[in-house]
Amino acid sequence: MTLHVNGEMSAYPEEVATISDLLQYHELNGQMVIVEYNQTIVDRTAYATTRLCSGDQLELVHFVGGG
Amino acid sequence: MQDRYSRQTLFTPIGVQGQEKLKEKHVLLIGAGALGTGNAEQLARAGVGKLSVADRDYVEYSNLQRQQLFSEQDAYERVPKAIAAKNRLQEVNSLVDVRAYVQDVQAEEFEQLIVGVDLIIDATDNFETRLILNDIAQKYNVPWIYGGCVGSYGLSYTIIPGVTPCLNCLLETVPLGGATCDTEGIIGPAVQMVVAHQSAEALKILVEDVEALHGKLISFDMWKNQYTGIKVSNVRKDACPSCGKERQYPFLAPGNQTKTAVLCGRDTVQIRPPHKMERDLDQLRERLHEGEVEQNPFLLAYTLGTQRLVFFKDGRVLIHGTKDVTEARRLYYKIVG
């Protein structure tokens, strides 16, 4: 599946089916993340149930504490 | 010195009027590390009337790679960061009223520091303090600008009470763990990118050009060459305990504040006494017979073997060489009793 993630188009393996899978793939699971999915912010409770389709656009922004 | 701001007043959105506004404004910077020194220098050079700089730490050699107001001499003398920052800022622009606070800023300190402040710049290194900052900003209706960075990554968001979502709306819980400067390091360009976003937003707020604010959660990676900005305005929650209709400011409640903290980027634990106190450093020095003691007007550093404890006048102690809070407490009580 091909997804636009943070402005870059990449091919993802089959096991990346939902937003949760995508976060896991990018090693962002368990972190404080805001996900924009096709221009809409997704509620955290819907990460596991939001299924991705080829061509979807996502922005993943994770919060970090350093400063 | 008359034309020191000429290139800034030539910039139409600021102009002479904007420059006058900057002179009347008071900015509070929480933290004088990488983001704090970067923002403070920008704002001092820009001619902001008053800058309050608060920080709990002192300068070390590992800071010099990215914390732009500090010198080798500051690290050698272990000057508290707020003091070293003030000294340099006054060299850069003597017209700015700079106030230094060598403090661990928690709810109690915020209540004092917030008086008369037009804007807060977040330059802290942890979410516990940021959520207190967020509650204070909501309570006193003061805008603030979040900034965070680690590795080559950074992000920023401008929070305007009553207009944008607050940090608590965005996070929902206190983030624990995750990447820190301790585990992933940090490069100067990532710091400067966050500083650029924060200080640009600060100038817009201070000259009262709110239309120009970017309104997005900005994030970037300077090594992966990614840059994103997402709209989060609809994340604002009516039921948010920090900014909602029935707000309680949960992070200002004393029960929500811990007295120990692991410092970002340092193998160090801070212990803070439960009550305000002034530590008599001379008296402490007399009690320390073994080991090596170094003292300056602000702190006393005590080295015994591989252990190093740094006592501040305001009662705090930094315990170096451990991230283990229990071990740190043990060492603390061994010496302080």
Side-chain angles (χ1 to χ4, degrees), chain B residues 3-21:
Chain B
D3 68 344
R4 72 180 300 152
Y5 303 123
S6 64
R7 301 304 186 271
Q8 194 164 275
T9 51
L10 271 173
F11 178 67
T12 315
I14 294 181
V16 177
Q17 267 191 323
Q19 196 62 48
E20 283 300 314
K21 284 180 181 166

Side-chain angles (χ1 to χ4, degrees), chain B residues 285-293 302-305 334-335:
Chain B
R285 184 170 198 148
E286 283 171 24
R287 297 213 321 261
L288 302 169
H289 302 298
E290 299 171 87
E292 192 188 324
V293 179
Y302 175 56
T303 312
L304 183 65
K334 205 168 88 176
I335 289 161

Side-chain angles (χ1 to χ4, degrees), chain A residues 7-53:
Chain A
E8 275 178 29
M9 202 163 71
S10 315
Y12 285 85
E14 255 178 55
E15 61 262 30
V16 177
T18 65
I19 290 179
S20 288
D21 299 334
L22 183 69
L23 293 178
Q24 187 141 15
Y25 182 84
H26 284 282
E27 297 178 348
L28 291 171
N29 49 319
Q31 289 201 37
M32 199 51 63
V33 188
I34 291 192
V35 178
E36 188 190 68
Y37 174 63
N38 296 335
Q39 271 88 56
T40 307
I41 307 290
V42 186
D43 196 275
R44 289 193 175 90
T45 55
Y47 288 176
T49 52
T50 306
R51 299 194 71 82
L52 301 172
C53 304

Side-chain angles (χ1 to χ4, degrees), chain A residues 6 8 32 34 36 41 44 59 61-67, chain B residues 34-35 125 127 130 146 148-149 153 170-173 228 231:
Chain A
N6 292 353
E8 275 178 29
M32 199 51 63
I34 291 192
E36 188 190 68
I41 307 290
R44 289 193 175 90
E59 303 288 347
V61 176
H62 67 282
F63 282 84
V64 294
Chain B
L35 296 179
D125 60 3
F127 282 102
R130 282 191 182 94
Y146 161 71
C149 49
Y153 177 81
L170 294 174
L171 296 177
E172 293 175 328
T173 52
T228 66
K231 276 207 161 148

